[in-house]
Amino acid sequence: MVLPDNARPELAAARASLDSTVRWLLWAVLALCWLPRAWPVALLSGLVSTTLLFVVLPTRAALYTDVLEAVVHVHRG
């Protein structure tokens, strides 16, 4: 399906938001694995990764899904 130019920016912004959240989650988990002896970093990294995984990521994924479904319904041939 080829999207018109007016539908692409909103879809791209929702996808970029989802990608950014996944990137932050990956860095938080990697920091948790790399620095197990630095307990303040491990504590902060665990808190950030848990928040991203259970609060932010589902919200951003739902937003991306809603935008994608709307674009498909509107521009379906």
Side-chain angles (χ1 to χ4, degrees), residues 1-4 7 68-77:
M1 178 168 81
V2 178
L3 292 177
L68 185 61
E69 285 179 354
V71 167
V72 168
H73 287 302
V74 169
H75 299 291
R76 178 172 35 191

Side-chain angles (χ1 to χ4, degrees), residues 36-76:
R37 292 186 184 183
W39 68 269
V41 174
L43 182 64
L44 181 63
S45 178
L47 181 66
V48 168
S49 61
T50 302
T51 303
L52 286 171
L53 184 62
F54 292 112
V55 177
V56 179
L57 188 62
T59 304
R60 301 273 172 94
L63 174 69
Y64 178 66
T65 304
D66 290 343
V67 170
L68 185 61
E69 285 179 354
V71 167
V72 168
H73 287 302
V74 169
H75 299 291
R76 178 172 35 191

Side-chain angles (χ1 to χ4, degrees), residues 24-47 49:
W24 276 101
L25 178 63
L26 178 65
W27 278 110
V29 170
L30 286 175
L32 185 62
C33 294
W34 279 339
L35 304 168
R37 292 186 184 183
W39 68 269
V41 174
L43 182 64
L44 181 63
S45 178
L47 181 66
S49 61

